[in-house]
Amino acid sequence: MINVTVWNENRHEQKNPVVREIYPEGIHGAIASFLEEGGFRTHTATLDEVEHGLTEEVLNQTDVLVWWGHLAHDEVKDDIVEKVKQRVLDGMGLIVLHSGHFSKIFKTLMGTSCDLKWREADEKERLWVVEPSHPIVEGIGEFIELEREEMYGEHFDIPAPDELIFTSWFEGGEIFRSGCTYKRGNGKVFYFRPGHETYPTYHNKDIQRVIMNAIKWAKQAERKRPVYGNAQPLESIAVKN
């Protein structure tokens, strides 16, 4: 069974009644609920917990970390970010959702600003599957259509993805690279765009399916990270005159 930790800053739910009505158990609670139904062993963590809920014990027991943040990226402590980064490099999977593109951990792993265009206008979003053979889109049709979502538009300041899984089209005309995979060290990272807090996106069955598929894809491989630094020879080295 895959061990998943769902991290959410849990701030919109405290301040905005619209968000609280859509996600009464918090965004983290909603995601954890469908993951549990899907057969994953889940744990939740939030910003205001001790060590943001990401203690060494929690991280060491996490196969895949799901991350949602927006209002409080700067409140995430740098030492916690470093611990998460090291776990990713050691093989823990990381699924970054929606406005998590501006999280410290995603920007650290990408090495770029991760900036973009955005607009809130209740627009239709159509996420086109552009890599239909990929396991992340197993069970998904040619596209996912969301009646209302926040627009994210290009240029998205990220490194070229290892694999581009989804490209979004928005009613206002913009497009966006909405499903991007990366390898960092022994770990796998998937950025998935949908999920603005005032829309019921995480109740959509196709969105849920993508997240579950991504977790299976990102699960840590059963191998140790390579050893670096000065190395002793594997064979005898002949002395040369």
Side-chain angles (χ1 to χ4, degrees), residues 53-203:
L54 299 174
T55 63
E56 190 167 337
E57 180 181 6
V58 168
L59 288 173
N60 287 341
Q61 294 176 355
T62 299
D63 296 313
V64 181
L65 175 62
V66 179
W67 191 284
W68 196 101
H70 185 202
L71 287 176
H73 297 312
D74 289 344
E75 294 182 41
V76 178
K77 296 177 181 177
D78 291 342
D79 63 319
I80 303 299
V81 174
E82 183 61 26
K83 285 200 300 184
V84 173
K85 173 187 171 183
Q86 289 304 315
R87 279 289 292 125
V88 172
L89 296 179
D90 287 340
M92 181 182 73
L94 178 65
I95 312 299
V96 178
L97 300 175
H98 191 57
S99 45
H101 71 91
F102 253 170
S103 64
K104 286 183 178 180
I105 183 58
F106 190 64
K107 291 200 292 184
T108 295
L109 289 168
M110 295 299 104
T112 58
S113 76
C114 299
D115 213 342
L116 46 78
K117 296 181 178 70
W118 62 274
R119 177 175 62 241
E120 292 183 46
D122 290 352
E123 295 177 59
K124 178 187 295 184
E125 177 181 6
R126 190 173 291 136
L127 294 105
W128 287 96
V129 174
V130 295
E131 188 53 77
S133 66
H134 201 281
I136 286 178
V137 293
E138 181 179 345
I140 302 298
E142 292 189 354
F143 59 84
I144 300 171
E145 189 160 299
L146 301 174
E147 182 181 351
R148 293 183 303 148
E149 250 294 355
E150 180 183 17
M151 185 280 291
Y152 279 5
E154 295 287 349
H155 175 248
F156 187 16
D157 187 22
I158 52 173
D162 294 338
E163 301 163 302
L164 180 60
I165 313 300
F166 289 99
T167 298
S168 284
W169 166 88
F170 292 89
E171 194 172 348
E174 287 84 2
I175 61 168
F176 192 75
R177 288 168 290 169
S178 288
C180 305
T181 73
Y182 297 92
K183 296 181 180 69
R184 292 293 185 267
N186 272 18
K188 296 179 180 178
V189 179
F190 179 56
Y191 172 75
F192 191 41
R193 196 217 72 82
H196 186 63
E197 65 276 0
T198 59
Y199 302 123
T201 300
Y202 295 122
H203 296 305

